[in-house]
Amino acid sequence: FLRYSSPEEFKEKVSDKLAAHGISTGLHTYSYYINHACDTILSKPENQKQLKVMGEYTLAEDIDESADFAKILEDTSLIPTDRGFCRTNSPMFLIGEELIYFGIRPNGLALTQRGWAGTKPAAHKKGEKIKHIEGHYNGVTPIFGSKLFYEIAHGIADAYNRSGCKMIYLDALDGVRFHCDKES
């Protein structure tokens, strides 16, 4: 609904006009995935705590808000680098309440974009945990069953119900299998 201020405006200006000619509209969504740049969701600390983490690392020394490199205690060769649309990996780390795009260096992380998705670049202390956020299809994954997961589902249903759409396409729903525990 990027061109319209609300689902109701979309209904009035698109769905209803097409329906008058026997054409239905549909809602296409990437299911529960959150776009990397969705600052309305990702900038909120309470939502950041509900993102699925694929790995956790430790800062080896303090960094300031302008640092472009972070030395970590763990072996960087263990951090997955196979990114892409069809990979269960995101280019995003969470340190405190700051989201950062990263690259891998032999003894640490290249901090390529600080303060991502509406977060603010900040100083971070030695020993602080760095969380590698899980994702797929160029999005990040909320923890299944979390409040955030259900808020996303509710938002999709609400947009569908208010927009006059007659179909919903939950694209990427097959991605559930990538985020389930191996025992599941």
Side-chain angles (χ1 to χ4, degrees):
F1 305 115
L2 296 176
R3 290 187 172 177
Y4 304 97
S5 63
S6 68
E8 290 82 8
E9 183 182 4
F10 181 83
K11 180 182 184 309
E12 175 190 333
K13 293 184 176 178
V14 179
S15 294
D16 289 348
K17 289 183 179 189
L18 290 172
H21 299 285
I23 301 169
S24 297
T25 55
L27 177 65
H28 176 214
T29 176
Y30 265 75
S31 302
Y32 48 85
Y33 287 107
I34 304 163
N35 184 287
H36 291 165
C38 187
D39 58 351
T40 57
I41 293 175
L42 296 175
S43 64
K44 296 178 181 173
E46 64 271 18
N47 290 340
Q48 294 169 356
K49 294 173 187 165
Q50 298 175 69
L51 297 175
K52 189 156 171 117
V53 174
M54 64 184 295
E56 196 170 271
Y57 309 94
T58 311
L59 272 177
E61 52 193 42
D62 293 354
I63 61 171
D64 67 22
E65 62 279 347
S66 63
D68 61 2
F69 178 79
K71 188 172 182 179
I72 63 171
L73 297 178
E74 295 78 12
D75 181 0
T76 59
S77 70
L78 302 175
I79 301 173
T81 58
D82 58 336
R83 295 189 196 138
F85 187 73
C86 292
R87 297 283 189 244
T88 307
N89 190 357
S90 85
M92 205 179 302
F93 273 113
L94 178 65
I95 308 176
E97 296 177 357
E98 180 186 2
L99 288 166
I100 301 171
Y101 264 43
F102 73 95
I104 305 295
R105 297 292 176 263
N107 59 343
L109 306 170
L111 309 177
T112 59
Q113 292 181 340
R114 301 283 307 265
W116 187 254
T119 64
K120 303 284 184 235
H124 301 285
K125 296 286 184 194
K126 175 182 177 178
E128 198 169 340
K129 294 299 177 188
I130 303 169
K131 297 175 181 178
H132 187 182
I133 303 303
E134 190 167 298
H136 205 78
Y137 302 125
N138 292 331
V140 294
T141 311
I143 296 169
F144 291 162
S146 67
K147 182 180 175 189
L148 178 59
F149 179 84
Y150 287 111
E151 285 176 4
I152 292 168
H154 174 71
I156 293 167
D158 185 54
Y160 173 82
N161 290 333
R162 295 170 42 209
S163 66
C165 291
K166 301 295 182 203
M167 181 281 290
I168 188 167
Y169 175 33
L170 295 171
D171 199 355
L173 189 59
D174 63 321
V176 167
R177 63 189 161 108
F178 299 115
H179 308 290
C180 293
D181 296 329
K182 302 296 181 223
E183 298 84 40
S184 301

